[in-house]
Amino acid sequence: MGDSLSDNVRYRCSSCGVEYEVALDRICCDCNGVLDIVFSPSAFPSSLSGRGVGLSRYREAIAIDIHRLDDAYLGSARTPILPMGGSVFVKCDYIMPSGSFKDRGAQVLAALSLRLGAKRVVVDSSGNAGAAMAAHCARIGVPCIVVAPASAPAQKLHQSRAYGAEVKTVEGARSAATELALSLASEQGTFYASHVENPFFLEGTQTWAFEVWEQLGDAPAEVVIAVGNGSLFLGAYRGFRYLFEHGLTSRIPKMVAVQAKGWSPLTGDLTHGDAKPLADGIAISAPRRILQILKAIEETGGEARTVDNDAIRRSTTQLARHGLWVEPTSGAAWAGGPGHRPEGGEPIVVSLGGAGFKATGGS
Ligand SMILES: [Zn+2]
């Protein structure tokens, strides 16, 4: 068996096009551009029956050895799609092992850290990505350091500590946490498991689209996803593109990104001032992949919508009263969704990506 990672999978700068080997010390391009993966996925077999419902069900489309992927398996598996009346559905990623969709990407990054022989993993996160990485590092037995802004929700940091991660909090701007993580990552044998920088994270989140396709029998007309750094949004887009290019779907859904009012770089509304975000998972002023997010919106005829805190609170409560206890970031997605649509219309899927326990006392 060949060395599939170094032979067939490379990094390419999304800005200047320079290619690099996939290596522990390659975080972004020398020009500071964000990296994409160069990889030619093969087609799915004509039937996926007989395979499990974990990420490796879609192994042909994921640029990592399946054995490593299985080593990092913590139970992230096909999440339910529930009808919410008419043609509107929710996809319940909040029931993932660590309570958010980030487990999809974290499993792939953990597999990559094994593949690259990392001695420890460093991640900077204000919450769910850190917890997901900490959980998967515990699974593979590699030490994990989570660097978080001091303002990060206590519950999310508590969760990372519970998994055994060392949590370092940093005062000041969110970027200060990134700087410390990068400095720790420069030590030999350290893997910087950033869901923002590392494109392998999107290899994991693209499985969201594959599941939706299997569950509905085709790609839906529209998907609605709360967007901070856009790691689920871009992964889902990548997944639907794969399906479309392999002739498995008739369309790529209209991609709708939802952000909080005042915290929306996609619509140019960054008027939050000193206000503390209610939807903390998507309060990102300058997402690294913003150009890719805007391109996905444009190419699919999608749009970026904003919702205010009252709408987020109302939606979060409304979902809970239907038995779906999610964090405000997911409430934002529902608030930015279509509301009710009549039966028989084209299906619309709203992502509920984070569990309610993540944000106790957060409203
Ligand atoms: Zn570059």
Side-chain angles (χ1 to χ4, degrees), residues 13 15-17 29 31 33:
C13 175
S15 178
C16 74
C29 182
C31 83

Side-chain angles (χ1 to χ4, degrees), residues 230-254:
S231 58
L232 180 61
F233 191 83
L234 289 171
Y237 174 65
R238 182 180 174 86
F240 285 121
R241 272 196 76 89
Y242 169 93
L243 294 168
F244 185 73
E245 285 167 2
H246 286 82
L248 298 168
T249 58
S250 56
R251 61 187 166 197
I252 295 176
K254 179 176 158 183

Side-chain angles (χ1 to χ4, degrees), residues 13-18 20 29-34:
C13 175
S14 64
S15 178
C16 74
V18 168
Y20 298 96
C29 182
D30 291 344
C31 83
N32 195 39
V34 75

Side-chain angles (χ1 to χ4, degrees), residues 30-357:
D30 291 344
C31 83
N32 195 39
V34 75
L35 298 173
D36 291 328
I37 284 179
V38 185
F39 168 60
S40 298
S42 50
F44 291 148
S46 54
S47 168
L48 293 171
S49 66
R51 291 188 178 181
V53 291
L55 267 55
S56 61
R57 180 178 182 84
Y58 309 108
R59 65 198 67 155
E60 286 81 6
I62 302 175
I64 190 95
D65 328 34
I66 180 175
H67 305 293
R68 294 303 188 194
L69 201 56
D70 286 344
D71 287 343
Y73 180 58
L74 192 61
S76 295
R78 183 163 59 207
T79 56
I81 276 196
L82 301 178
M84 297 296 283
S87 54
V88 180
F89 298 81
V90 289
K91 185 156 175 67
C92 301
D93 268 20
Y94 71 90
I95 67 165
M96 283 281 184
S98 82
S100 88
F101 77 84
K102 295 270 184 6
D103 285 336
R104 295 182 187 275
Q107 184 183 341
V108 178
L109 290 191
L112 181 60
S113 75
L114 286 173
R115 179 65 183 73
L116 298 175
K119 298 285 181 285
R120 67 172 185 171
V121 166
V122 172
V123 58
D124 58 310
S125 162
S126 57
N128 290 344
M133 215 53 236
H136 284 81
C137 283
R139 177 66 178 164
I140 62 174
V142 173
C144 179
I145 302 173
V146 175
V147 185
S151 59
Q155 194 69 15
K156 295 182 178 180
L157 301 185
H158 175 70
Q159 188 186 2
S160 292
R161 283 193 196 93
Y163 290 129
E166 181 187 347
V167 175
K168 294 178 184 289
T169 55
V170 182
E171 295 291 341
R174 174 67 180 78
S175 56
T178 302
E179 278 166 33
L180 176 58
L182 284 170
S183 130
L184 292 166
S186 66
E187 288 180 34
Q188 191 144 20
T190 305
F191 177 56
Y192 179 47
S194 168
H195 67 291
V196 178
E197 294 289 345
N198 196 305
F200 277 89
F201 198 89
L202 307 181
E203 294 291 290
T205 52
Q206 66 176 332
T207 59
W208 189 91
F210 302 152
E211 293 176 13
V212 169
W213 158 67
E214 282 203 273
Q215 288 168 307
L216 295 179
D218 195 359
E222 182 178 325
V223 298
V224 182
I225 295 173
V227 170
N229 279 302
S231 58
L232 180 61
F233 191 83
L234 289 171
Y237 174 65
R238 182 180 174 86
F240 285 121
R241 272 196 76 89
Y242 169 93
L243 294 168
F244 185 73
E245 285 167 2
H246 286 82
L248 298 168
T249 58
S250 56
R251 61 187 166 197
I252 295 176
K254 179 176 158 183
M255 303 286 304
V256 176
V258 181
Q259 301 199 298
K261 201 166 168 24
W263 291 93
S264 174
L266 293 177
T267 64
D269 173 12
L270 288 170
T271 54
H272 56 82
D274 294 330
K276 202 168 180 295
L278 178 61
D280 60 274
I282 49 171
I284 309 290
S285 301
R288 274 283 271 161
R289 295 183 187 270
I290 187 167
L291 295 178
Q292 296 179 337
I293 297 168
L294 291 169
K295 187 158 174 272
I297 291 172
E298 191 190 328
E299 282 185 6
T300 63
E303 60 185 294
R305 298 176 187 153
T306 60
V307 291
D308 64 22
N309 277 348
D310 286 344
I312 293 172
R313 270 194 205 94
R314 238 182 355 258
S315 286
T316 308
T317 302
Q318 187 193 11
L319 287 164
R321 300 301 154 83
H322 284 85
L324 311 171
W325 189 36
V326 298
E327 65 173 324
T329 300
S330 298
W334 183 246
H340 184 73
R341 287 285 176 89
E343 198 85 42
E346 296 277 11
I348 298 173
V349 179
V350 180
S351 165
L352 302 183
F357 72 78

